[in-house]
Amino acid sequence: MVSKTDDIPASVPNCNPVDLADEAGDGAQDSKETSKTHLKDSCGCGHSADTAMVNGDGAHERTEEEDSKQDGNSEADGGDESNEQEVIVIQDTGFNVKIQAPGTEPFDLQVSPQEMVQEIHQVLMDREDTCHRTCFSLQLDGNVLDNFAELKSIEGLQEGSLLKVVEEPYTVREARIHVRHIRDLLKSLDPSDSYNGVDCNSLSFLSIFTDGDLGDSDKRKKKGNELEQIDCTPPEHILPGSKDRPLVPLQPPNKDWKQPMQCLKVLTMSGWNPPPGNRKMHGDLMYLCMVTVEERHVSVTASTRGFYLNQSVNISTSSTTYTFNPKPANPSFLSHSLVELLSQISPAFKKNFTALQKKRVQRHPFERIATPFQVYSWTAPQVDHAMDCVRAEDAYTSRLGYEEHIPGQTRDWNEELQTTRELPRKNLPERLLRERAIFKVHSDFAAAATRGAMAVIDGNVMAINPGEETRMQMFIWNNIFFSLGFDVRDHYRELGGDAAAHVAPTNDLNGVRAYGAVDVEGLYTLGTVVVDYRGYRVTAQSIIPGILEREQEQSVIYGSIDFGKTVVSHSKYLELLEKTSRPLKVQRHNVLNEKSESVELCSSVECKGIIGNDGRHYILDLLRTFPPDLNFLPVDGEELSPESRRQGFPRQHRHRLACLRQELIEAFVEHRYLLFMKMAALQLMQQKANREAKANIPAITETAEAPSESSADTTQTRTTASDSPSATEASTDSNASAASQAATAGEENSSRPATNGLVEPAATLNGERKSPLEGKELEESIPGLAQAKELAETLVAEDGSCIDPKSREVVLNACKAVGSISNTSFDIRFNPDIFSPGVRFPDDSADDIQKQKQLLKDAAAFLVSCQIPSLVKDCLDHSALPMDGASLTEALRQRGINIRYLGTVLEFVDKTPAKAQLEHFYRIGISELITRCAKHIFKTYLQAVELSALSAAVSHFLNCFLSSFPDAVAHLPPDELVSRRKSRKRRNRVPGGGDNTAWASLTPNELWKNIASEAKSYYHFTIQCESVDQVVEKYGFQKTTLLREISLKTGIQILIKEYNFDSRHKPAFTEEDILNIFPVVKHVNPKASDAFHFFQSGQAKVQQGFLKEGCELINEALNLFNNVYGAMHVEICACLRLLARLNYIMGDHAEALSNQQKAVLMSERVLGIEHPNTIQEYMHLSLYCFANGQLSTALKLLYRARYLMLLVSGEDHPEMALLDSNIGLVLHGVMEYDLSLRFLENALTINTKYHGPRSLKVALSHHLVARVYESKAEFRSALQHEKEGYTIYKNQMGETHEKTKESSEFLKYLTQQAVALQRTMNEIYKNGSNASITPLKFTAPSMASVLEQLNIINGIIFIPLSQKDLENLKAEVQRRQQLQELGKLEEPTEDRPLELEDKIPID
């Protein structure tokens, strides 16, 4: 299970494993055999795709295009490293130009015609030999090139042109930029920006484990490949069974960070700035003071011509006397760059600066490029605070955006956000440009909004209504509007007060995301970011032009400002919203206004339409875009369906804004579509079979009116996750009582409607063994599919004119049964205003409203009776593998289950018969529930704390939450620091207030009581625990894991050290341990649609076995992703992972390493160093390292992955079995048998627990253990394990199966070896020292055999196929395709890589 950020990234669309194969002669084998590959990729959509593949021909060639674009370190990719992160690709070929910079040799640079001149600037500012220049122009034949011109538009620029770098005179702006750039170069290896979470820096530790030897084969050749040199012993805490969970190894020491090479002691702005008029007229721009490493104090004047030493001097070092004289000293060392000046006056600077730049350039570009959104680290070491003039200046000048770099000062965010949406999108280059602009503005806006929200809560922004109470204040900063998540003016009184006001912004954000994804021209939403910081929720929005000048009543021309008492509508809005109604499943409906007149709407009443002064149609307040969730909305006189009631619904919730998720709506509609198809099919058959007895038909429709009691128990199947923007993972459960007679259990169709109309079918391989007849049975078991298909096609005509009356009647019945709003085609939409207090409907729509109410009840029941069981089933068959709270949340949300159902999900797990196999899921669920309750309490706790006591309050809370110390006492700040509140009553503008030391009285006992009552009232789940130690004991938690979860949820950053949680004598945390508190930010993630489609097609090709074509498509997708997102993004990470896997399968191990290395670095930087994704990426990388012969690196990477896994979820997790099998195999390969056994036996235990003792995974585990015992010559133990394995194979696969035969051969061999050993021993006993001993064969495992086993456990299996098999396979594939076209064949896939053999007959 790979989890993702805030909203589902397009990580892996549609990964429907389709088993297809084409004939391919592979040079590596003889012409009769082709290598068949099995690829299991936990591909990011939450389930592992078991996909069969075939190596296409030419598996070993790489396309040239890929060569030129994928080499991350090549100069050509320079643009990739620039701050602009703009890498341009569109089929145009690049060309080379020569660059001549002052004082360096001319060098070649590869550029592309799309690049701007500015990008060459960026490359030069990053290159080792030209990095110190910032103020220059590029000239071609004496003509200065325009910075913003595209290269293709420049006359005379061609292959081999010479561009000269010409130094330009400075201005104040340029001088500042220069100083800032020099400071960045000096700090380039300093990680403090990453710890402090600024400027989109984040941490990465991969290079520490690889020692930079990835792919540097020359280095390795020198080292040789001798095994003796490898030290394989892991640290004690990584060994199986160790209870120690240290925190310090999370951030291993980096030697570059430890002793950074000091180039300069101090560089600051002088207090004598700005230059007086007479000096300004001599060209002075500003003055700097520096102290060199040699302790020389120098004063520098920055002038238009460059930098020079001036005559200011300290008369004596002891006194403070300082004479200021800005005139040039003699010699003045006038230089165009500070680096040149300093190199002349400080030898140490010269030496260290050169070394520093060498190191900087050696780092992988992905370690230094900025990420698109800020990633915060929850741990950091104690960093010494150093003097930094640029940082100081930034903090105290009102640097809002980078406005000194942008003409026109502050940015008009609204204008930028809307203008980028209006860019043309007719062809690919236009769309790329548009998406890139949208993405860039969004990430800038998110960063600015976050900074502003923190400034608001810290009290640094003046309110626009300063006279009102703090909770009611609103703020404007940097053209962004900020409001606090409190119920102002009793706006939400009916809906739950502050609780509703807290949840409204996130609901609104989901609405903005949904409308943004539909992307209707002419309809505009506001830029929206929700920030949680220091216990407050702040909503940041871009400002509609003109809205501040007029009253809201005048502005709103559509919707309602008082929750439906007064309602207005507008024809233009209806027309625009109509376009969104189908994709968002919103029904057009009428409501009554205050005069009881009927008003037509196409959204909820809260959704307001305002035309801005710019003439654009804006919609805002989208908090009810999706229909209400009746399970959490008790309504008098309404009864829920039996499935919901059985689970104890409806339940009282804190607010009345509980909505269904978009994913659930999609899944529900898809489920209904299936029902519709089945009913139609069933009726068509009945008509055909029984023209006379038409009387039966109505009977059928009645039974299917609502899913009946019995239906809840029919089998559920899941469709594979299709993470497309429109549909997230949908699980279907064909419990249409009438229709389930037509489909036999376990073989149900399912499909993914793109809109509600046409369907894209998807076929998958079945996990169970089936006879070759399976397909034919299927056709018979879902009768009428062909007619249903024809019917569906005619329905798309929608007018129904071409259908004969009988078919029309069938459609009508089916439409009624599934609740479609149309009688001639399938179309389900929801009315979001049903059950909204204050909304009244006209009498003539009573029937409609009744239908809508029923539909909502059905959807609520569907969540409880289908989605939750399907989630649990996916966890049972390991197609969903949550590792931590975030990935669990992700798994729930993908299936449309809101987090408020967490208690219900856990109760369901508790009642599941196979509860033991869900222990990991249950544990993660309980820990998520507890930390979320703690977060709720922490939120209100923090609001009462004033800034000076923040670290004391946070450490006190953590002590109460995690420390075993029974009477944690808070340290109040000393009296003189507690402000005299009375004199400041009016001035205290920080929101909140109240008694400022109330937080100090919290006790551990009280906190845990509160957590238990919160769990009961919010999640309806009972936790019987009074203290952290009881919880840890009862549920098997680790306190470090709880600490990580609570820190990530609340934004706390703690000092990285070993905490003694279990001491009964002193608290675990002191206030010095709390380093920072960061915001938790939610925002929209704009998508790269074209790249995404390429990625999808690439995956489809790969799944059909066309590896080479798939590889090319995915490379193209990668280029387009780079083009839109810049170099760093989660989706690029998924792309690189898949590419690496393809490279590996096609035999290009070096390329696989390079791509996977990028994937690991990117995952660390964009998701976090211990994110579950990152752990998986480390595992993939270690496999490719092993295949490349880098054994010690492979082991280091696996040990790192195991450490992270232990920290994040502990040892007891199914994924740990895979990790330990990997470690055990590598150790076996380097002949560390005893260590190897510890890991392999642990894997065997975990596999047995989570897959059941009869599983094929367990058989393989037994075999791996037996192999190690054999290498140790302990044949008795080896025999014992191999026999276990053999028994499983025999029972599961039968005597004749390949695996069973292999196992029985191995048993024979072991028995012979054991007998031979016994003979030898007897011989020795009998004859003593003169015994004649036949030498025994002790086999050290060959690397090839170890690699083969590694491939198998990681789900990559190469199986030789004979020509006959290939023919059979092709026939099977074609048959499947036909079937797929006929019906929507969809069977549950199991996540068992071993079973591929079952599906392919092998001679």
Side-chain angles (χ1 to χ4, degrees), residues 254-281:
N254 186 333
K255 47 184 187 298
D256 291 348
W257 298 351
K258 270 289 168 262
Q259 341 79 20
M261 293 164 286
Q262 204 181 20
C263 304
L264 196 59
K265 285 202 168 158
V266 180
L267 161 67
T268 65
M269 300 286 168
S270 157
W272 298 90
N273 281 318
N278 62 330
R279 286 309 305 169
K280 213 168 157 181
M281 296 171 78

Side-chain angles (χ1 to χ4, degrees), residues 377-604:
S377 165
W378 65 280
T379 53
Q382 196 73 57
V383 181
D384 296 328
H385 192 60
M387 196 153 147
D388 181 339
C389 69
V390 177
R391 187 178 55 207
E393 192 194 17
D394 284 352
Y396 290 112
T397 52
S398 71
R399 181 180 79 111
L400 296 173
Y402 266 101
E403 74 280 44
E404 62 266 39
H405 295 214
I406 291 169
Q409 295 307 302
T410 56
R411 296 171 70 166
D412 183 344
W413 291 109
N414 191 65
E415 190 54 32
E416 286 191 43
L417 287 162
Q418 313 310 350
T419 317
T420 50
R421 286 233 170 245
E422 287 165 349
L423 290 170
R425 41 172 150 175
K426 291 187 196 60
N427 51 29
L428 182 65
E430 283 185 355
R431 282 196 302 274
L432 286 176
L433 210 80
R434 173 176 185 263
E435 283 174 348
R436 167 150 130 217
I438 290 175
F439 184 76
K440 184 84 182 91
V441 174
H442 258 97
S443 54
D444 288 356
F445 177 69
T450 308
R451 269 224 312 284
M454 290 167 72
V456 163
I457 297 302
D458 290 338
N460 303 333
V461 180
M462 183 76 184
I464 50 179
N465 50 345
E468 304 205 25
E469 177 198 349
T470 46
R471 302 165 46 111
M472 298 174 71
Q473 290 178 349
M474 291 169 282
F475 306 84
I476 288 180
W477 177 90
N478 193 1
N479 277 328
I480 306 173
F481 174 79
F482 296 92
S483 54
L484 300 171
F486 293 115
D487 184 10
V488 181
R489 303 195 179 82
D490 288 343
H491 188 58
Y492 291 106
R493 191 177 61 206
E494 312 247 304
L495 299 168
D498 279 349
H502 185 79
V503 80
T506 43
N507 278 6
D508 184 35
L509 181 67
N510 289 334
V512 170
R513 183 177 297 135
Y515 278 101
V518 177
D519 208 0
V520 168
E521 266 182 73
L523 189 64
Y524 297 90
T525 54
L526 301 183
T528 308
V529 175
V530 179
V531 181
D532 289 303
Y533 177 61
R534 284 181 49 193
Y536 295 95
R537 171 157 285 181
V538 186
T539 311
Q541 290 171 311
S542 60
I543 300 169
I544 300 179
I547 184 131
L548 298 167
E549 287 103 69
R550 40 190 182 175
E551 280 296 308
Q552 202 179 15
E553 286 80 13
Q554 305 158 3
S555 327
V556 174
I557 59 162
Y558 172 90
S560 162
I561 57 167
D562 47 18
F563 291 99
K565 293 182 188 64
T566 51
V567 192
V568 284
S569 189
H570 188 279
S571 56
K572 179 67 179 164
Y573 271 102
L574 283 174
E575 174 199 328
L576 288 167
L577 288 166
E578 179 60 42
K579 295 178 188 163
T580 65
S581 100
R582 190 174 193 116
L584 295 181
K585 323 269 187 290
V586 176
Q587 190 189 5
R588 261 180 104 137
H589 58 280
N590 290 331
V591 299
L592 296 176
N593 64 9
E594 74 287 3
K595 304 189 190 107
S596 294
E597 299 158 353
S598 177
V599 179
E600 187 171 23
L601 295 177
C602 192
S603 66
S604 70

Side-chain angles (χ1 to χ4, degrees), residues 962-974:
L962 292 173
S963 177
S964 306
F965 182 57
D967 26 53
V969 183
H971 297 280
L972 286 171

Side-chain angles (χ1 to χ4, degrees), residues 626-631 657-665 830 855-856 859-860 863 896 898 900-901:
F626 299 109
D629 177 358
L630 296 192
N631 287 334
L657 290 179
C659 293
L660 297 171
R661 293 185 65 86
Q662 187 174 11
E663 296 91 335
L664 184 89
I665 301 296
F830 291 89
L855 205 54
L856 283 179
L863 194 157
N898 311 68
R900 58 177 171 270
Y901 285 97

Side-chain angles (χ1 to χ4, degrees), residues 115 434 850 930 956 1164 1207:
E115 275 181 47
R434 173 176 185 263
Q850 215 34 60
I930 288 177
H956 178 60
E1164 288 192 306
L1207 180 77

Side-chain angles (χ1 to χ4, degrees), residues 621-897:
D621 287 350
L622 308 175
L623 52 138
R624 279 197 201 258
T625 303
F626 299 109
D629 177 358
L630 296 192
N631 287 334
F632 282 95
L633 192 71
V635 180
D636 294 337
E638 293 289 342
E639 189 159 276
L640 289 184
S641 56
E643 293 95 330
S644 295
R645 289 207 308 277
R646 211 176 304 129
Q647 304 267 3
F649 291 109
R651 290 181 174 160
Q652 201 59 49
H653 200 48
R654 292 208 172 146
H655 54 78
R656 301 179 65 85
L657 290 179
C659 293
L660 297 171
R661 293 185 65 86
Q662 187 174 11
E663 296 91 335
L664 184 89
I665 301 296
E666 301 279 354
F668 177 70
V669 169
E670 185 169 326
H671 166 74
R672 280 294 163 103
Y673 184 76
L674 262 158
L675 222 87
F676 172 76
M677 293 301 275
K678 283 184 179 165
M679 298 211 41
L682 202 66
Q683 292 183 13
L684 281 175
M685 282 172 45
Q686 280 200 346
Q687 274 189 4
K688 196 173 166 192
N690 188 355
R691 299 256 179 225
E692 305 81 57
K694 283 197 186 130
N696 290 349
I697 294 169
I700 287 169
T701 38
E702 277 149 37
T703 46
E705 188 70 57
S708 68
E709 296 281 334
S710 65
S711 62
D713 314 325
T714 45
T715 40
Q716 288 119 9
T717 88
R718 65 189 173 78
T719 59
T720 32
S722 48
D723 262 3
S724 73
S726 71
T728 29
E729 176 149 342
S731 328
T732 54
D733 157 348
S734 43
N735 54 14
S737 48
S740 55
Q741 300 150 15
T744 55
E747 289 165 355
E748 301 157 17
N749 5 340
S750 132
S751 52
R752 188 174 80 73
T755 62
N756 295 345
L758 272 173
V759 181
E760 305 160 20
T764 57
L765 264 178
N766 199 337
E768 290 86 57
R769 291 175 67 214
K770 287 275 165 84
S771 67
L773 293 170
E774 159 209 293
K776 294 192 186 76
E777 290 164 9
L778 252 179
E779 276 168 318
E780 286 145 27
S781 69
I782 306 179
L785 268 177
Q787 294 104 305
K789 177 83 168 133
E790 285 162 27
L791 178 69
E793 274 158 11
T794 47
L795 297 187
V796 182
E798 278 198 17
D799 53 356
S801 53
C802 49
I803 312 179
D804 67 275
K806 280 188 185 136
S807 306
R808 197 177 295 140
E809 183 189 351
V810 168
V811 178
L812 180 67
N813 287 330
C815 281
K816 269 191 193 150
V818 295
S820 165
I821 60 168
S822 145
N823 283 336
T824 51
S825 69
F826 175 83
D827 189 356
I828 285 188
R829 303 186 197 189
F830 291 89
N831 175 345
D833 283 332
I834 302 274
F835 299 126
S836 290
V839 176
R840 298 174 305 142
F841 298 103
D843 298 340
D844 57 6
S845 58
D847 279 359
D848 236 13
I849 300 301
Q850 215 34 60
K851 268 193 199 157
Q852 281 291 336
K853 287 182 175 175
Q854 189 52 48
L855 205 54
L856 283 179
K857 291 174 190 173
D858 292 350
F862 172 74
L863 194 157
V864 179
S865 65
C866 301
Q867 297 301 78
I868 292 180
S870 102
L871 166 74
V872 174
K873 181 179 170 297
D874 285 354
C875 292
L876 264 177
D877 63 23
H878 302 283
S879 48
L881 259 187
M883 276 194 215
D884 66 345
S887 45
L888 174 76
T889 307
E890 192 50 53
L892 267 85
R893 287 184 174 155
Q894 273 185 0
R895 291 161 182 78
I897 305 168

Side-chain angles (χ1 to χ4, degrees), residues 1001-1036:
S1001 58
L1002 183 72
T1003 64
N1005 204 340
E1006 182 192 348
L1007 174 64
W1008 278 96
K1009 276 204 182 85
N1010 290 348
I1011 287 177
S1013 68
E1014 178 73 9
K1016 190 81 200 123
S1017 70
Y1018 194 89
Y1019 295 107
H1020 303 273
F1021 188 81
T1022 314
I1023 304 174
Q1024 295 112 346
C1025 291
E1026 305 203 331
S1027 72
V1028 67
D1029 294 324
Q1030 283 183 6
V1031 173
V1032 166
E1033 187 59 38
K1034 182 169 175 182
Y1035 299 109

Side-chain angles (χ1 to χ4, degrees), residues 110-320:
Q110 189 184 6
V111 293
S112 104
Q114 257 73 30
E115 275 181 47
M116 290 191 196
V117 176
Q118 191 184 7
E119 291 171 57
I120 302 184
H121 271 255
Q122 292 291 352
V123 175
L124 295 177
M125 282 164 67
D126 200 60
R127 266 183 72 98
E128 196 181 339
D129 48 1
T130 54
C131 64
H132 55 280
R133 302 184 181 282
T134 59
C135 184
F136 58 87
S137 61
L138 290 167
Q139 300 189 356
L140 175 65
D141 306 330
N143 299 326
V144 176
L145 304 185
D146 169 20
N147 252 349
F148 295 100
E150 291 196 341
L151 297 186
K152 60 181 175 205
S153 65
I154 296 168
E155 273 181 57
L157 185 65
Q158 62 204 35
E159 178 74 38
S161 295
L162 178 70
L163 291 180
K164 285 202 166 143
V165 173
V166 179
E167 297 173 345
E168 292 290 331
Y170 281 98
T171 58
V172 173
R173 177 173 176 272
E174 285 292 346
R176 276 167 182 258
I177 287 176
H178 185 77
V179 172
R180 176 180 292 263
H181 180 67
I182 300 304
R183 168 261 197 182
D184 288 344
L185 290 176
L186 293 176
K187 282 188 61 175
S188 56
L189 294 181
D190 175 14
S192 58
D193 280 354
S194 301
Y195 291 127
N196 296 331
V198 291
D199 293 343
C200 288
N201 289 315
S202 57
L203 298 165
S204 161
F205 291 102
L206 175 65
S207 54
I208 296 176
F209 300 99
T210 56
D211 293 333
D213 68 352
L214 280 188
D216 306 355
S217 44
D218 323 335
K219 260 197 223 168
R220 249 185 14 265
K221 284 192 184 102
K222 284 179 213 138
K223 284 188 199 165
N225 217 343
E226 304 91 66
L227 298 178
E228 299 82 85
Q229 298 179 355
I230 300 178
D231 174 26
C232 304
T233 340
E236 199 56 41
H237 61 262
I238 290 177
L239 288 172
S242 161
K243 288 281 167 274
D244 194 19
R245 296 283 178 269
L247 199 54
V248 173
L250 178 59
Q251 297 192 6
N254 186 333
K255 47 184 187 298
D256 291 348
W257 298 351
K258 270 289 168 262
Q259 341 79 20
M261 293 164 286
Q262 204 181 20
C263 304
L264 196 59
K265 285 202 168 158
V266 180
L267 161 67
T268 65
M269 300 286 168
S270 157
W272 298 90
N273 281 318
N278 62 330
R279 286 309 305 169
K280 213 168 157 181
M281 296 171 78
H282 282 88
D284 292 9
L285 301 172
M286 61 188 198
Y287 308 119
L288 304 169
C289 299
M290 302 182 204
V291 181
T292 65
V293 181
E294 297 88 349
E295 283 295 336
R296 178 177 172 190
H297 290 247
V298 291
S299 297
V300 172
T301 299
S303 75
T304 48
R305 295 172 304 143
F307 298 83
Y308 59 79
L309 292 191
N310 62 32
Q311 294 176 24
S312 308
V313 281
N314 272 357
I315 293 173
S316 72
T317 43
S318 60
S319 81
T320 51

